[in-house]
């Protein structure tokens, strides 16, 4: 069984910074792409940023230049550094990992979510 555990959310003032972390644990062959998504109240889940195993990144236009996604393959961990936070960044942030099992089946896993609130 694979688990994704997020940490680092919280309350921050506009213009502030937060760093989210997500660790994948369990038994698997390989972690492929990892990413962060978010869901604001009353809205659907949207992509924030993704990163491949080869470290290619992709960002939503709304966070480009402010957020940075990175990963440590040795630690099975993905990070999201969020700078210049705005109230509209307030949402539950979810970690996602696309994982290949030992029998070579591709699975999509989600974390439980961590709340990020940007408010003065």
């Amino acid at each position: 069984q694979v688990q994704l555990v997020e940490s680092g959310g919280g309350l921050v003032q506009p213009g502030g910074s937060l760093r989210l972390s997500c660790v994948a644990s369990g038994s698997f062959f390989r972690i492929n792409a990892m990413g962060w998504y978010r869901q604001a109240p009353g809205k659907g889940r949207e992509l924030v940023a993704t990163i491949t195993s080869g470290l290619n990144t992709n960002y939503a236009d709304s966070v480009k230049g402010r957020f940075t996604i990175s990963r440590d393959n040795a630690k099975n961990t993905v990070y999201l550094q969020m700078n210049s936070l705005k109230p509209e960044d307030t949402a539950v942030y979810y970690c996602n990992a696309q994982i290949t099992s030992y029998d070579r089946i591709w699975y999509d896993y989600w974390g439980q979510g961590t709340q990020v609130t940007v408010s003065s």
Side-chain angles (χ1 to χ4, degrees), residues 6-44:
E6 299 128 331
S7 60
L11 173 65
V12 63
Q13 292 187 342
S17 298
L18 281 176
R19 189 192 195 207
L20 305 183
S21 300
C22 172
V23 180
S25 63
S27 180
F28 47 83
F29 174 68
R30 181 177 61 203
I31 301 176
N32 305 301
M34 302 185 81
W36 291 94
Y37 293 73
R38 67 186 181 187
Q39 187 165 16
K43 295 187 177 181

mmCIF file of all heavy atoms in Angstrom, residues 6-44:
data_model
loop_
_atom_site.group_PDB
_atom_site.id
_atom_site.type_symbol
_atom_site.label_atom_id
_atom_site.label_comp_id
_atom_site.label_asym_id
_atom_site.label_seq_id
_atom_site.Cartn_x
_atom_site.Cartn_y
_atom_site.Cartn_z
ATOM 1 N N GLU A 6 1.284 14.756 3.327
ATOM 2 C CA GLU A 6 1.651 16.146 3.106
ATOM 3 C C GLU A 6 1.884 16.855 4.424
ATOM 4 O O GLU A 6 1.325 16.484 5.462
ATOM 5 C CB GLU A 6 0.531 16.873 2.351
ATOM 6 C CG GLU A 6 0.217 16.309 1.001
ATOM 7 C CD GLU A 6 -1.254 16.008 0.832
ATOM 8 O OE1 GLU A 6 -1.917 15.701 1.848
ATOM 9 O OE2 GLU A 6 -1.747 16.052 -0.305
ATOM 10 N N SER A 7 2.668 17.911 4.369
ATOM 11 C CA SER A 7 2.884 18.765 5.533
ATOM 12 C C SER A 7 3.270 20.158 5.048
ATOM 13 O O SER A 7 3.628 20.342 3.879
ATOM 14 C CB SER A 7 3.978 18.197 6.439
ATOM 15 O OG SER A 7 5.202 18.103 5.738
ATOM 16 N N GLY A 8 3.169 21.128 5.968
ATOM 17 C CA GLY A 8 3.650 22.470 5.666
ATOM 18 C C GLY A 8 2.582 23.519 5.436
ATOM 19 O O GLY A 8 2.899 24.690 5.238
ATOM 20 N N GLY A 9 1.315 23.125 5.427
ATOM 21 C CA GLY A 9 0.265 24.115 5.245
ATOM 22 C C GLY A 9 0.099 24.987 6.474
ATOM 23 O O GLY A 9 0.725 24.771 7.507
ATOM 24 N N GLY A 10 -0.756 26.000 6.349
ATOM 25 C CA GLY A 10 -0.998 26.872 7.482
ATOM 26 C C GLY A 10 -1.571 28.204 7.062
ATOM 27 O O GLY A 10 -2.013 28.380 5.923
ATOM 28 N N LEU A 11 -1.550 29.138 8.003
ATOM 29 C CA LEU A 11 -2.046 30.496 7.786
ATOM 30 C C LEU A 11 -0.870 31.432 7.565
ATOM 31 O O LEU A 11 0.099 31.420 8.344
ATOM 32 C CB LEU A 11 -2.851 30.952 9.001
ATOM 33 C CG LEU A 11 -3.310 32.414 9.033
ATOM 34 C CD1 LEU A 11 -4.297 32.680 7.897
ATOM 35 C CD2 LEU A 11 -3.933 32.736 10.389
ATOM 36 N N VAL A 12 -0.949 32.229 6.512
ATOM 37 C CA VAL A 12 0.127 33.158 6.192
ATOM 38 C C VAL A 12 -0.481 34.460 5.678
ATOM 39 O O VAL A 12 -1.571 34.449 5.088
ATOM 40 C CB VAL A 12 1.092 32.540 5.153
ATOM 41 C CG1 VAL A 12 0.394 32.280 3.838
ATOM 42 C CG2 VAL A 12 2.331 33.386 4.963
ATOM 43 N N GLN A 13 0.203 35.548 5.916
ATOM 44 C CA GLN A 13 -0.274 36.842 5.430
ATOM 45 C C GLN A 13 0.026 37.007 3.940
ATOM 46 O O GLN A 13 0.958 36.380 3.419
ATOM 47 C CB GLN A 13 0.402 37.967 6.210
ATOM 48 C CG GLN A 13 -0.015 38.040 7.662
ATOM 49 C CD GLN A 13 0.549 39.260 8.355
ATOM 50 O OE1 GLN A 13 1.498 39.880 7.883
ATOM 51 N NE2 GLN A 13 -0.043 39.622 9.485
ATOM 52 N N PRO A 14 -0.749 37.825 3.259
ATOM 53 C CA PRO A 14 -0.447 38.108 1.843
ATOM 54 C C PRO A 14 0.992 38.579 1.679
ATOM 55 O O PRO A 14 1.492 39.372 2.480
ATOM 56 C CB PRO A 14 -1.444 39.207 1.495
ATOM 57 C CG PRO A 14 -2.604 38.972 2.410
ATOM 58 C CD PRO A 14 -1.983 38.500 3.699
ATOM 59 N N GLY A 15 1.643 38.062 0.638
ATOM 60 C CA GLY A 15 3.041 38.358 0.409
ATOM 61 C C GLY A 15 3.999 37.410 1.087
ATOM 62 O O GLY A 15 5.206 37.449 0.821
ATOM 63 N N GLY A 16 3.475 36.563 1.945
ATOM 64 C CA GLY A 16 4.314 35.629 2.685
ATOM 65 C C GLY A 16 4.642 34.375 1.895
ATOM 66 O O GLY A 16 4.288 34.249 0.709
ATOM 67 N N SER A 17 5.327 33.451 2.556
ATOM 68 C CA SER A 17 5.788 32.220 1.919
ATOM 69 C C SER A 17 5.440 31.008 2.770
ATOM 70 O O SER A 17 5.332 31.100 4.001
ATOM 71 C CB SER A 17 7.306 32.265 1.717
ATOM 72 O OG SER A 17 7.687 33.313 0.868
ATOM 73 N N LEU A 18 5.271 29.898 2.095
ATOM 74 C CA LEU A 18 5.101 28.591 2.730
ATOM 75 C C LEU A 18 5.798 27.548 1.867
ATOM 76 O O LEU A 18 5.914 27.726 0.645
ATOM 77 C CB LEU A 18 3.627 28.214 2.860
ATOM 78 C CG LEU A 18 2.790 28.829 3.981
ATOM 79 C CD1 LEU A 18 1.336 28.383 3.828
ATOM 80 C CD2 LEU A 18 3.322 28.455 5.346
ATOM 81 N N ARG A 19 6.209 26.460 2.508
ATOM 82 C CA ARG A 19 6.790 25.344 1.771
ATOM 83 C C ARG A 19 6.031 24.083 2.123
ATOM 84 O O ARG A 19 5.995 23.671 3.293
ATOM 85 C CB ARG A 19 8.264 25.170 2.111
ATOM 86 C CG ARG A 19 8.982 24.161 1.229
ATOM 87 C CD ARG A 19 10.331 23.830 1.788
ATOM 88 N NE ARG A 19 11.183 23.145 0.822
ATOM 89 C CZ ARG A 19 12.160 22.301 1.151
ATOM 90 N NH1 ARG A 19 12.398 22.049 2.423
ATOM 91 N NH2 ARG A 19 12.894 21.737 0.219
ATOM 92 N N LEU A 20 5.444 23.464 1.124
ATOM 93 C CA LEU A 20 4.737 22.205 1.308
ATOM 94 C C LEU A 20 5.667 21.041 0.975
ATOM 95 O O LEU A 20 6.506 21.140 0.080
ATOM 96 C CB LEU A 20 3.508 22.136 0.416
ATOM 97 C CG LEU A 20 2.490 23.278 0.528
ATOM 98 C CD1 LEU A 20 1.291 22.992 -0.385
ATOM 99 C CD2 LEU A 20 2.038 23.471 1.956
ATOM 100 N N SER A 21 5.488 19.950 1.714
ATOM 101 C CA SER A 21 6.239 18.725 1.455
ATOM 102 C C SER A 21 5.268 17.563 1.344
ATOM 103 O O SER A 21 4.208 17.566 1.980
ATOM 104 C CB SER A 21 7.230 18.438 2.588
ATOM 105 O OG SER A 21 8.157 19.481 2.742
ATOM 106 N N CYS A 22 5.651 16.570 0.564
ATOM 107 C CA CYS A 22 4.833 15.359 0.428
ATOM 108 C C CYS A 22 5.775 14.174 0.274
ATOM 109 O O CYS A 22 6.593 14.143 -0.646
ATOM 110 C CB CYS A 22 3.920 15.474 -0.777
ATOM 111 S SG CYS A 22 3.032 13.964 -1.199
ATOM 112 N N VAL A 23 5.638 13.216 1.190
ATOM 113 C CA VAL A 23 6.481 12.030 1.175
ATOM 114 C C VAL A 23 5.656 10.814 0.773
ATOM 115 O O VAL A 23 4.570 10.586 1.329
ATOM 116 C CB VAL A 23 7.102 11.776 2.556
ATOM 117 C CG1 VAL A 23 7.987 10.539 2.519
ATOM 118 C CG2 VAL A 23 7.903 12.983 3.008
ATOM 119 N N ALA A 24 6.179 10.061 -0.176
ATOM 120 C CA ALA A 24 5.545 8.811 -0.588
ATOM 121 C C ALA A 24 6.205 7.652 0.151
ATOM 122 O O ALA A 24 7.434 7.540 0.171
ATOM 123 C CB ALA A 24 5.676 8.621 -2.087
ATOM 124 N N SER A 25 5.372 6.810 0.753
ATOM 125 C CA SER A 25 5.906 5.642 1.464
ATOM 126 C C SER A 25 5.162 4.400 1.026
ATOM 127 O O SER A 25 4.042 4.474 0.524
ATOM 128 C CB SER A 25 5.787 5.838 2.973
ATOM 129 O OG SER A 25 4.432 5.944 3.350
ATOM 130 N N GLY A 26 5.810 3.242 1.234
ATOM 131 C CA GLY A 26 5.195 1.982 0.850
ATOM 132 C C GLY A 26 6.092 1.222 -0.092
ATOM 133 O O GLY A 26 7.273 1.536 -0.240
ATOM 134 N N SER A 27 5.516 0.233 -0.736
ATOM 135 C CA SER A 27 6.278 -0.640 -1.615
ATOM 136 C C SER A 27 5.878 -0.394 -3.065
ATOM 137 O O SER A 27 4.706 -0.551 -3.420
ATOM 138 C CB SER A 27 6.017 -2.097 -1.226
ATOM 139 O OG SER A 27 6.747 -2.962 -2.060
ATOM 140 N N PHE A 28 6.827 0.003 -3.875
ATOM 141 C CA PHE A 28 6.532 0.253 -5.282
ATOM 142 C C PHE A 28 7.822 0.192 -6.085
ATOM 143 O O PHE A 28 8.925 0.263 -5.528
ATOM 144 C CB PHE A 28 5.867 1.624 -5.470
ATOM 145 C CG PHE A 28 6.535 2.750 -4.738
ATOM 146 C CD1 PHE A 28 7.633 3.398 -5.260
ATOM 147 C CD2 PHE A 28 6.044 3.148 -3.492
ATOM 148 C CE1 PHE A 28 8.246 4.423 -4.581
ATOM 149 C CE2 PHE A 28 6.654 4.183 -2.795
ATOM 150 C CZ PHE A 28 7.762 4.823 -3.337
ATOM 151 N N PHE A 29 7.667 0.073 -7.419
ATOM 152 C CA PHE A 29 8.835 -0.025 -8.290
ATOM 153 C C PHE A 29 9.447 1.339 -8.552
ATOM 154 O O PHE A 29 10.656 1.518 -8.431
ATOM 155 C CB PHE A 29 8.431 -0.692 -9.612
ATOM 156 C CG PHE A 29 9.522 -0.728 -10.652
ATOM 157 C CD1 PHE A 29 10.646 -1.508 -10.459
ATOM 158 C CD2 PHE A 29 9.430 0.024 -11.816
ATOM 159 C CE1 PHE A 29 11.667 -1.549 -11.414
ATOM 160 C CE2 PHE A 29 10.435 -0.009 -12.769
ATOM 161 C CZ PHE A 29 11.556 -0.799 -12.563
ATOM 162 N N ARG A 30 8.584 2.318 -8.880
ATOM 163 C CA ARG A 30 9.105 3.627 -9.271
ATOM 164 C C ARG A 30 8.024 4.697 -9.138
ATOM 165 O O ARG A 30 6.854 4.446 -9.381
ATOM 166 C CB ARG A 30 9.582 3.579 -10.717
ATOM 167 C CG ARG A 30 10.182 4.881 -11.254
ATOM 168 C CD ARG A 30 10.681 4.703 -12.680
ATOM 169 N NE ARG A 30 9.609 4.330 -13.586
ATOM 170 C CZ ARG A 30 9.808 3.697 -14.740
ATOM 171 N NH1 ARG A 30 11.023 3.360 -15.105
ATOM 172 N NH2 ARG A 30 8.779 3.405 -15.519
ATOM 173 N N ILE A 31 8.462 5.894 -8.752
ATOM 174 C CA ILE A 31 7.586 7.058 -8.794
ATOM 175 C C ILE A 31 7.838 7.793 -10.106
ATOM 176 O O ILE A 31 8.987 8.134 -10.415
ATOM 177 C CB ILE A 31 7.829 8.014 -7.615
ATOM 178 C CG1 ILE A 31 7.609 7.300 -6.286
ATOM 179 C CG2 ILE A 31 6.907 9.221 -7.722
ATOM 180 C CD1 ILE A 31 7.913 8.160 -5.071
ATOM 181 N N ASN A 32 6.806 8.005 -10.854
ATOM 182 C CA ASN A 32 6.926 8.739 -12.121
ATOM 183 C C ASN A 32 6.692 10.227 -11.838
ATOM 184 O O ASN A 32 7.405 10.811 -11.032
ATOM 185 C CB ASN A 32 5.977 8.145 -13.145
ATOM 186 C CG ASN A 32 6.204 6.658 -13.305
ATOM 187 O OD1 ASN A 32 7.296 6.202 -13.648
ATOM 188 N ND2 ASN A 32 5.183 5.860 -13.006
ATOM 189 N N ALA A 33 5.690 10.826 -12.429
ATOM 190 C CA ALA A 33 5.443 12.243 -12.163
ATOM 191 C C ALA A 33 4.853 12.452 -10.774
ATOM 192 O O ALA A 33 4.158 11.591 -10.240
ATOM 193 C CB ALA A 33 4.500 12.818 -13.212
ATOM 194 N N MET A 34 5.162 13.600 -10.204
ATOM 195 C CA MET A 34 4.550 14.030 -8.942
ATOM 196 C C MET A 34 4.019 15.442 -9.158
ATOM 197 O O MET A 34 4.485 16.161 -10.050
ATOM 198 C CB MET A 34 5.557 14.013 -7.796
ATOM 199 C CG MET A 34 6.200 12.659 -7.561
ATOM 200 S SD MET A 34 7.280 12.629 -6.121
ATOM 201 C CE MET A 34 6.059 12.407 -4.802
ATOM 202 N N GLY A 35 3.071 15.812 -8.335
ATOM 203 C CA GLY A 35 2.521 17.144 -8.544
ATOM 204 C C GLY A 35 1.692 17.639 -7.379
ATOM 205 O O GLY A 35 1.458 16.905 -6.408
ATOM 206 N N TRP A 36 1.309 18.878 -7.508
ATOM 207 C CA TRP A 36 0.437 19.518 -6.528
ATOM 208 C C TRP A 36 -0.808 20.064 -7.229
ATOM 209 O O TRP A 36 -0.701 20.667 -8.322
ATOM 210 C CB TRP A 36 1.166 20.668 -5.828
ATOM 211 C CG TRP A 36 2.261 20.211 -4.933
ATOM 212 C CD1 TRP A 36 3.591 20.081 -5.240
ATOM 213 C CD2 TRP A 36 2.128 19.797 -3.564
ATOM 214 N NE1 TRP A 36 4.291 19.623 -4.161
ATOM 215 C CE2 TRP A 36 3.410 19.443 -3.109
ATOM 216 C CE3 TRP A 36 1.062 19.710 -2.674
ATOM 217 C CZ2 TRP A 36 3.654 18.998 -1.809
ATOM 218 C CZ3 TRP A 36 1.297 19.271 -1.392
ATOM 219 C CH2 TRP A 36 2.583 18.920 -0.967
ATOM 220 N N TYR A 37 -1.937 19.850 -6.605
ATOM 221 C CA TYR A 37 -3.215 20.369 -7.076
ATOM 222 C C TYR A 37 -3.853 21.099 -5.898
ATOM 223 O O TYR A 37 -3.455 20.908 -4.756
ATOM 224 C CB TYR A 37 -4.119 19.228 -7.542
ATOM 225 C CG TYR A 37 -3.602 18.529 -8.787
ATOM 226 C CD1 TYR A 37 -2.499 17.696 -8.732
ATOM 227 C CD2 TYR A 37 -4.228 18.717 -10.016
ATOM 228 C CE1 TYR A 37 -2.011 17.069 -9.868
ATOM 229 C CE2 TYR A 37 -3.758 18.088 -11.158
ATOM 230 C CZ TYR A 37 -2.652 17.272 -11.079
ATOM 231 O OH TYR A 37 -2.180 16.664 -12.220
ATOM 232 N N ARG A 38 -4.847 21.931 -6.201
ATOM 233 C CA ARG A 38 -5.529 22.618 -5.113
ATOM 234 C C ARG A 38 -7.015 22.744 -5.414
ATOM 235 O O ARG A 38 -7.442 22.721 -6.568
ATOM 236 C CB ARG A 38 -4.914 23.994 -4.878
ATOM 237 C CG ARG A 38 -5.106 24.992 -6.010
ATOM 238 C CD ARG A 38 -4.324 26.273 -5.729
ATOM 239 N NE ARG A 38 -4.500 27.266 -6.786
ATOM 240 C CZ ARG A 38 -3.828 28.412 -6.862
ATOM 241 N NH1 ARG A 38 -2.918 28.713 -5.926
ATOM 242 N NH2 ARG A 38 -4.058 29.257 -7.846
ATOM 243 N N GLN A 39 -7.769 22.893 -4.323
ATOM 244 C CA GLN A 39 -9.212 23.059 -4.450
ATOM 245 C C GLN A 39 -9.665 24.128 -3.472
ATOM 246 O O GLN A 39 -9.548 23.945 -2.251
ATOM 247 C CB GLN A 39 -9.938 21.750 -4.192
ATOM 248 C CG GLN A 39 -11.427 21.815 -4.460
ATOM 249 C CD GLN A 39 -12.062 20.443 -4.547
ATOM 250 O OE1 GLN A 39 -11.493 19.436 -4.130
ATOM 251 N NE2 GLN A 39 -13.251 20.382 -5.108
ATOM 252 N N ALA A 40 -10.169 25.209 -4.018
ATOM 253 C CA ALA A 40 -10.702 26.291 -3.202
ATOM 254 C C ALA A 40 -12.180 26.020 -2.912
ATOM 255 O O ALA A 40 -12.829 25.271 -3.647
ATOM 256 C CB ALA A 40 -10.531 27.627 -3.931
ATOM 257 N N PRO A 41 -12.722 26.620 -1.867
ATOM 258 C CA PRO A 41 -14.140 26.399 -1.539
ATOM 259 C C PRO A 41 -15.048 26.730 -2.721
ATOM 260 O O PRO A 41 -14.927 27.789 -3.336
ATOM 261 C CB PRO A 41 -14.368 27.363 -0.372
ATOM 262 C CG PRO A 41 -13.026 27.523 0.250
ATOM 263 C CD PRO A 41 -12.049 27.479 -0.891
ATOM 264 N N GLY A 42 -15.925 25.794 -3.054
ATOM 265 C CA GLY A 42 -16.879 26.019 -4.127
ATOM 266 C C GLY A 42 -16.319 25.873 -5.532
ATOM 267 O O GLY A 42 -17.022 26.143 -6.510
ATOM 268 N N LYS A 43 -15.067 25.441 -5.632
ATOM 269 C CA LYS A 43 -14.443 25.293 -6.951
ATOM 270 C C LYS A 43 -13.932 23.870 -7.141
ATOM 271 O O LYS A 43 -13.810 23.105 -6.186
ATOM 272 C CB LYS A 43 -13.285 26.283 -7.095
ATOM 273 C CG LYS A 43 -13.702 27.749 -7.081
ATOM 274 C CD LYS A 43 -12.532 28.651 -7.405
ATOM 275 C CE LYS A 43 -12.967 30.100 -7.470
ATOM 276 N NZ LYS A 43 -11.819 30.993 -7.817
ATOM 277 N N GLY A 44 -13.619 23.539 -8.383
ATOM 278 C CA GLY A 44 -13.064 22.227 -8.674
ATOM 279 C C GLY A 44 -11.578 22.168 -8.397
ATOM 280 O O GLY A 44 -10.923 23.186 -8.165
#
